[in-house]
Amino acid sequence: MVQYTSGRLDASFAALSDPTRRGVLEQLGRADASITDLAETFHMTLTGMRKHVGVLEQAGLVTTEKVGRVRICNLGPRRLEEEAAWIERYRQLWDARFDELDKVVEELKRKEKVDGRRNRE
Amino acid sequence: MDAGTESELVPMKNRTTVERKSERELVVTRTFNGPARLVFEAWTKPELFRQWWVPKSMGMSLLSCEMDVRVGGKYRLEFEPDAMAFFGTYLEVTPHSRLVWTNEEGGEGGPVTTVTFEEKGGKTLLVMHELYSSKEALDNAGSGAADAMVETFAQLDELLLTLGASVG
């Protein structure tokens, strides 16, 4: 699996924590698009979309390139890391679940101990 | 009660790992500080299962949880507030060691989940293995999961940001 430094992990999660930005990634997964295209697709102002693309670009998830007077966005070099990011999110979900399961198992162990003691009496 | 008992009751936090084992397989592992029969019980009794399947950080709760844990038996989990449902059929049920079920909410050809419980020295190594029908199906589950998380795991996002911030 891809190893992260914590700063990059931070940037990735921050970038992926916004639904519009996830939508932009999904859109760019299908085809490259200009910021104007993206702004239209997501019903946003150019300034708003530039901001989102900026965050994705800083996280390395998107690269942009000026072609003539248009800025074209495409998926960045970290496509693979995007996968690692969802796996990490999935891991966090299971980790949270299993922390709760730990409590259930502790409770069952405690009950068994009490019942065992009762049976011996 | 002897003095040692108190410290035994403090649960030790074990590590959860997730690995994409191959193009079609995802594997989750975790060790639990208890015998396999208890961990297995927590996976197969609805009243126990619902205590841990939906952690508070998910911001949802289980509306209903039906589990007919036997070969060919069905399960169905329904969530609120958005009435999302997960359902499928148990393919294998081996008490205290192995559970296999289908995941049918996405239609036919959904992934098959295998959970094994391996006891060693009073602890249980749990391995959850998900086998998808194709590489694309697993890829889509990833991006689909990302989509689904937009709403349902909004609170997990916050948690992750907090965790991410505390790492550095």
Side-chain angles (χ1 to χ4, degrees), chain B residues 36-99:
Chain B
R37 70 192 144 77
L38 294 185
V39 183
F40 187 87
E41 203 180 326
W43 277 77
T44 50
K45 284 196 175 157
E47 69 273 19
L48 295 174
F49 187 83
R50 60 187 308 157
Q51 285 177 36
W52 63 270
W53 187 260
V54 189
K56 285 169 197 75
S57 58
M58 266 176 82
M60 308 173 72
S61 54
L62 268 179
L63 190 64
S64 63
C65 171
E66 290 159 31
M67 307 165 83
D68 180 13
V69 189
R70 53 182 170 165
V71 176
K74 307 267 184 201
Y75 70 87
R76 186 178 179 88
L77 307 171
E78 282 177 19
F79 293 88
E80 55 183 6
D82 58 357
M84 193 162 65
F86 292 98
F87 52 90
T89 308
Y90 290 99
L91 299 180
E92 279 183 57
V93 177
T94 309
H96 311 171
S97 71
R98 189 175 160 92
L99 283 172

Side-chain angles (χ1 to χ4, degrees), chain A residues 15-31:
Chain A
L16 290 168
S17 69
D18 180 274
T20 304
R21 291 198 285 272
R22 277 198 289 261
V24 168
L25 286 176
E26 209 191 332
Q27 190 74 21
L28 294 177
R30 287 195 277 268

Side-chain angles (χ1 to χ4, degrees), chain A residues 90 95 97 102 109 112, chain B residues 16 30 33 37 53 130:
Chain A
Y90 191 69
D95 199 45
R97 270 185 185 153
D102 267 341
K109 271 161 70 177
E112 253 189 4
Chain B
T16 304
R30 167 97 166 211
N33 301 327
R37 70 192 144 77
W53 187 260
E130 291 186 306

